[in-house]
């Protein structure tokens, strides 16, 4: 407990010092702490980045698989963190791991048998939400991912850009074009 | 276009808000914590760091060694190419045996008078020249290469300095050089045959004197 408490304190101090004008961003400071063996700092990174990973996965895999895959993505990231050279690029690196994990999921699910309907689903989203999500998934990948992060995870455009490592202009364009396509597909107000 | 979609600022977009509310039930649940296995640790970066340093050091060392080795090799090869002593050039590039030029047919009485057989006159190759016995007749045509002076000179020439570098002098084994050698041999043979003929004519007609310097030289001899 004492060790965990000390680690948490050091992580908070590192982030606070980064936020108060240090050279590194708070995320980079946390990554540096994790590399130094601070497991609590990784918990903090999980809190910051789990919605992004969840959104990226939700744009690609079934809803009831997303929770486990989020855990997988963070375990892979923790294991491979030593290979990350630029600590400030953690978000883009993690997003890429999540995308690759979704691709692996589809590759593996093709080789295994489909689950029967009798198996209980952990959580079943509402019918309307599932339908809207299906429409969003039918959009081009760049629009789909950005819209899920915005509409499902509730992240703003600047947050999406900051977490995923994408350019803010790209995110803005993807959001507006994706929203336009979604409105057209859903048949809702075009002039909004 | 409103900014609400971008950064949730300004007047809320009703449609976007409705979609946010509808899809919000799919949102990530913060209650679920990450379960890291206790034995799991981040591999230390320091374990990987020495390898690039070692690689760079090894590459530098190899480059230096290669440079020294190349310099030594180049020095050796330049010295060898500048001055290559060949004890016997014929070993380096064995020339083709010179085909003997057929001598003009002579009558039997001419042969008897000169005392020189056809085989002695046949100066085609070195072997033939060496095998031919020296004639006691001072007017007999001695093979050019068999002249004592020439033999000495030839002996010294055998130990000549041979420039192997093709930029300074063409290679002795090159086809051009071989052809030139062959042409020289043939020219010398032709000259020799001509001088023998003149000698013979001189002996047959002692009263006639030739004023040409070459002829007088031959007569004096």
């Amino acid at each position: 407990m004492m060790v965990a408490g000390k680690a948490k304190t050091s992580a908070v101090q590192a982030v606070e010092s980064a936020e108060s004008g240090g050279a590194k961003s708070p995320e980079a400071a946390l990554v540096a702490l994790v590399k130094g063996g601070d497991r609590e700092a990784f918990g903090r990174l999980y809190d910051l980045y789990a919605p992004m990973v969840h959104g990226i996965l939700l744009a690609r895999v079934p809803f009831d698989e997303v929770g486990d895959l989020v855990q997988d993505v963070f375990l892979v990231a923790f294991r491979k963190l030593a290979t990350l050279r630029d600590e400030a690029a953690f978000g883009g690196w993690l997003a890429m791991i999540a995308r690759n994990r979704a691709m692996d999921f589809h590759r593996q699910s093709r080789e295994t048998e489909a689950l029967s309907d009798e198996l209980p689903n952990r959580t079943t989203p509402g019918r309307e939400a599932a339908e809207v999500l299906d429409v969003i998934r039918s959009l081009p990948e760049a629009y789909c991912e950005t819209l899920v992060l915005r509409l499902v995870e509730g992240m703003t455009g600047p947050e999406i850009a900051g977490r995923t490592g994408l350019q803010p202009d790209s995110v803005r364009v993807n959001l507006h074009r994706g929203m336009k396509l979604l409105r057209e597909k859903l048949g809702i107000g075009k002039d909004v | 276009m409103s900014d609400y979609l971008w950064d949730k600022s300004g007047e809320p977009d009703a449609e976007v808000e409705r979609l946010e509310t509808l899809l919000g039930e799919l949102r990530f649940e913060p209650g679920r914590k990450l379960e890291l296995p206790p034995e799991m640790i981040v591999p230390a970066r320091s374990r990987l760091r020495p390898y690039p340093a070692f690689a760079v050091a090894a590459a530098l060392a190899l480059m230096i060694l290669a440079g020294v080795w190349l310099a030594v090799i180049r020095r050796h090869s330049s010295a060898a190419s500048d001055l290559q002593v060949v004890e016997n050039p014929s070993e380096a590039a064995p020339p083709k045996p010179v085909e003997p030029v057929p001598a003009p047919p002579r009558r039997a009485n001419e042969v008897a008078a000169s005392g020189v057989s056809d085989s002695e006159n046949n100066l085609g190759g070195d072997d033939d020249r060496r095998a031919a016995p020296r004639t006691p007749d001072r007017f007999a045509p001695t093979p050019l290469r068999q002249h004592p002076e020439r033999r000495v000179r030839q002996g010294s020439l055998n130990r000549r300095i041979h420039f192997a570098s093709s930029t300074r002098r063409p290679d002795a084994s090159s086809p051009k050089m071989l052809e030139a050698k062959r042409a020289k041999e043939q020219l010398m043979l032709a000259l020799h045959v001509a001088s023998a003929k003149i000698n013979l004519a001189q002996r047959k007609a002692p009263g006639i004197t030739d004023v040409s310097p070459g002829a007088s030289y031959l007569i004096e001899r």
Side-chain angles (χ1 to χ4, degrees):
Chain A
M1 280 299 279
M2 283 290 286
V3 175
K6 274 183 186 175
K8 192 166 188 176
T9 312
S10 65
V12 171
Q13 281 173 352
V15 173
E16 281 172 356
S17 71
E19 283 169 349
S20 65
K24 285 183 180 177
S25 65
E27 290 83 1
L30 285 170
V31 172
L33 283 173
V34 177
K35 280 184 173 180
D38 189 344
R39 292 165 68 94
E40 292 296 327
F42 195 73
R44 191 95 194 271
L45 281 173
Y46 175 80
D47 292 341
L48 283 170
Y49 284 93
M52 179 200 77
V53 173
H54 188 268
I56 289 171
L57 291 167
L58 189 62
R60 291 168 174 83
V61 299
F63 175 74
D64 53 351
E65 300 286 348
V66 173
D68 289 344
L69 291 177
V70 170
Q71 295 277 323
D72 282 359
V73 167
F74 275 94
L75 287 178
V76 170
F78 186 75
R79 208 175 294 132
K80 293 186 174 176
L81 197 63
T83 64
L84 177 66
R85 290 186 179 180
D86 183 7
E87 288 154 1
F90 177 76
W93 179 74
L94 189 66
M96 192 55 70
I97 293 176
R99 291 182 195 117
N100 289 340
R101 187 66 192 87
M103 280 171 65
D104 287 346
F105 171 81
H106 286 296
R107 211 175 290 144
Q108 287 164 5
S109 62
R110 258 183 255 138
E111 295 164 2
T112 54
E113 287 182 20
L115 293 172
S116 70
D117 293 337
E118 291 172 6
L119 287 170
N121 286 337
R122 270 170 260 168
T123 47
T124 309
R127 192 177 58 84
E128 196 182 358
E131 284 175 2
V132 174
L133 184 63
D134 284 344
V135 174
I136 293 173
R137 281 175 178 161
S138 70
L139 299 175
E141 193 174 304
Y143 301 158
C144 167
E145 188 177 300
T146 318
L147 279 178
V148 169
L149 290 174
R150 172 68 185 86
L151 299 174
V152 178
E153 304 300 338
M155 296 164 73
T156 63
E159 281 174 346
I160 295 169
R163 292 278 188 273
T164 59
L166 294 170
Q167 291 294 317
D169 290 343
S170 304
V171 174
R172 193 175 203 134
V173 168
N174 289 343
L175 267 179
H176 286 290
R177 289 187 183 167
M179 195 64 206
K180 191 183 171 193
L181 278 175
L182 182 63
R183 281 187 175 121
E184 285 172 7
K185 289 211 171 193
L186 292 174
I188 52 180
K190 291 170 190 170
D191 56 340
V192 183
Chain B
M1 192 115 4
S2 74
D3 279 332
Y4 184 76
L5 184 63
W6 169 243
D7 56 2
K8 298 185 182 178
S9 66
E11 191 182 340
D13 184 330
E15 203 55 53
V16 174
E17 268 191 325
R18 197 184 77 80
L19 285 170
E20 278 181 313
T21 311
L22 180 68
L23 294 168
E25 61 182 275
L26 305 174
R27 192 169 293 174
F28 172 72
E29 294 171 19
R32 189 171 181 185
K33 289 290 174 190
L34 180 66
E35 295 150 11
L36 283 176
E39 72 278 359
M40 206 173 181
I41 53 161
V42 176
R45 174 83 176 155
S46 58
R47 265 187 255 162
L48 297 170
R49 271 186 188 151
Y51 291 111
F54 271 126
V56 169
L60 279 174
L62 275 175
M63 282 167 69
I64 290 165
L65 279 175
V68 169
W69 183 70
L70 273 176
V72 168
I73 290 288
R74 204 168 288 171
R75 195 169 294 172
H76 268 283
S77 65
S78 65
S81 67
D82 277 351
L83 195 65
Q84 184 179 0
V85 176
V86 179
E87 287 296 324
N88 187 1
S90 63
E91 282 176 14
K96 284 184 180 177
V98 179
E99 290 177 11
V101 177
R106 287 195 298 178
R107 287 190 295 267
N109 58 353
E110 284 178 5
V111 173
S114 68
V116 180
S117 68
D118 274 340
S119 64
E120 285 171 354
N121 264 340
N122 185 3
L123 306 174
D126 288 341
D127 293 338
D128 289 344
R129 268 178 260 141
R130 258 181 251 122
R134 297 188 69 192
T135 173
D137 190 351
R138 61 188 288 265
F139 296 109
T142 51
L144 207 59
R145 293 285 174 87
Q146 283 188 352
H147 195 279
E149 275 183 26
R150 285 179 187 273
R151 287 180 94 191
V152 170
R153 213 160 45 177
Q154 193 177 4
S156 66
L157 282 171
N158 278 343
R159 288 182 56 83
R160 67 183 164 188
I161 294 166
H162 174 67
F163 288 87
S165 175
S166 61
T167 55
R168 294 178 190 176
R169 195 174 279 196
D171 192 2
S173 62
S174 69
K176 266 191 171 179
M177 282 297 289
L178 287 173
E179 197 180 337
K181 259 186 176 177
R182 227 175 293 143
K184 186 183 165 190
E185 295 274 357
Q186 285 181 357
L187 179 66
M188 296 306 288
L189 183 64
L191 283 172
H192 194 74
V193 168
S195 73
K197 290 277 182 190
I198 290 166
N199 274 344
L200 187 64
Q202 186 73 30
R203 275 201 303 275
K204 284 199 169 182
I208 302 169
T209 52
D210 196 342
V211 291
S212 68
S216 63
Y217 168 73
L218 284 170
I219 291 163
E220 281 167 19
R221 282 190 68 195

